[in-house]
Amino acid sequence: MRLKGKVALVAGAGTGIGAATARRFVAEGASVVLTGRRPGPLAEVAADLGEAALAVPADMADTAQAREAVRAGVERFGSLDVVIANAGGHGGNAVADTDDEDWRLSIESNLTTCFVTCREALPALVESKGAIVVVSSIAGLTAGPAVAGYVTTKHALVGLTRSIARDYGPRGVRVNCLCPGWVRTPMADEQMDELVERDGITRDEAYALVTKDVPLRRPATAEEIAAICLFLASPESAIMTGSVIVADGGATAVDLPTLAFA
């Protein structure tokens, strides 16, 4: 068990990557604090995990709520060793079509949530010499169409990761940034359903369409991304901090101008 006796806080733990990571961590011996804005999904995951899980519904962009989630976890389990900063998701539209409220929501949901989560957890992580995994996206490295807020804030998470690594590495805290490509999650399913409606195809065909030029020709599963979170949280990655790890089936390895020759 690679996380035996460790305590992890997983933000965005109700579904998708967060839920899969929480389950994997408990299987590896950890106790988990599950946070997110929707109490229902958190309660379902916590019920599956039993005494090893504590659900704390919270908007982790809110300082008071994030602080309380950290406090509740430390009080229940005795320490905090790992943070998975996974919450986020807003940010559609091109720049000229993004109004002030959309821009504010993009920053709050993707960047502020991660910043506040990490800031409020850092005192406990310094004490435990713990680890943070910032879940960004390949949108933190490249730009998709008409998602300016999402792309901008996911890029910013790479900078936040490096800043924390530089400042808190000397105090024993590691932080790495994970950039997945397409992952089969409820959020991605909603995006696939746009293609389902537009093209009259199935959801599986939509996933095949968006990965047709990806070398592995498929999206990841949430469990595959959870396995990488486990590696980054465990002693197996003890020398790694400030790193950007891409898990995209090879998508960002593709030279787009040569696609016509394929």
Side-chain angles (χ1 to χ4, degrees), residues 13-170:
T15 61
I17 293 169
T21 299
R23 292 188 173 98
R24 183 65 188 272
F25 279 20
V26 169
E28 292 285 344
S31 300
V32 293
V33 183
L34 311 172
T35 73
R37 290 182 293 179
R38 295 181 296 156
L42 290 179
E44 291 179 14
V45 176
D48 290 343
L49 298 178
E51 291 298 316
L54 172 66
V56 184
D59 178 353
M60 296 299 282
D62 180 277
T63 294
Q65 294 184 50
R67 188 169 295 164
E68 173 57 21
V70 172
R71 186 205 64 78
V74 172
E75 182 178 274
R76 168 74 174 271
F77 298 119
S79 66
L80 182 63
D81 304 285
V82 177
V83 167
I84 307 298
N86 171 64
H90 188 86
N93 295 322
V95 168
D97 300 317
T98 300
D99 62 25
D100 290 347
E101 180 62 9
D102 283 338
W103 182 248
R104 185 192 69 78
L105 286 172
S106 298
I107 294 173
E108 180 177 289
S109 63
N110 294 306
L111 181 56
T112 302
T113 297
C114 181
F115 170 79
V116 172
T117 300
C118 293
R119 183 186 65 194
E120 295 308 311
L122 272 166
L125 293 173
V126 167
E127 185 173 340
S128 66
K129 299 192 182 305
I132 300 170
V133 180
V134 171
V135 180
S136 180
S137 165
I138 59 170
L141 307 172
T142 60
V147 284
Y150 189 77
V151 165
T152 302
T153 50
K154 290 298 186 180
H155 272 67
L157 291 179
V158 175
L160 178 61
T161 297
R162 289 171 173 159
S163 185
I164 295 171
R166 173 141 193 178
D167 291 339
Y168 291 91

